[in-house]
Amino acid sequence: MNFGENIQEWFSVQIGALFFVVIGAMAIFFLAKREFSRFVGFAVFALIVGVFVFTPESVKSLGGKLWATVFGA
């Protein structure tokens, strides 16, 4: 039995939910103040952070495929 994996999965789910709540609150804040350029910049930043934090396996495989395409297998 590996207890660490269950704890890691639980924290990942909880932090993911908190991450999306914070992103939603910031988006509403920027849109309510009509700061559209800051909203777009924050949305792009949140998208990049979300991908790197929550799906690092896909980033790793994409990097490997890109490396193989550019420099050969």
Side-chain angles (χ1 to χ4, degrees):
M1 296 171 86
N2 196 348
F3 298 108
E5 289 181 11
N6 291 336
I7 293 173
Q8 180 186 10
E9 183 178 325
W10 183 80
F11 274 121
S12 177
V13 169
Q14 299 303 319
I15 290 174
L18 182 63
F19 179 74
F20 288 119
V21 167
V22 169
I23 288 177
M26 292 298 294
I28 291 170
F29 174 75
F30 287 141
L31 291 175
K33 290 187 73 172
R34 295 185 180 186
E35 295 179 359
F36 298 113
S37 61
R38 288 184 70 185
F39 167 71
V40 171
F42 177 73
V44 169
F45 173 74
L47 179 68
I48 291 170
V49 169
V51 168
F52 277 103
V53 170
F54 294 110
T55 57
E57 304 86 27
S58 64
V59 173
K60 183 179 176 184
S61 67
L62 179 64
K65 289 177 186 176
L66 181 64
W67 180 270
T69 302
V70 171
F71 296 107

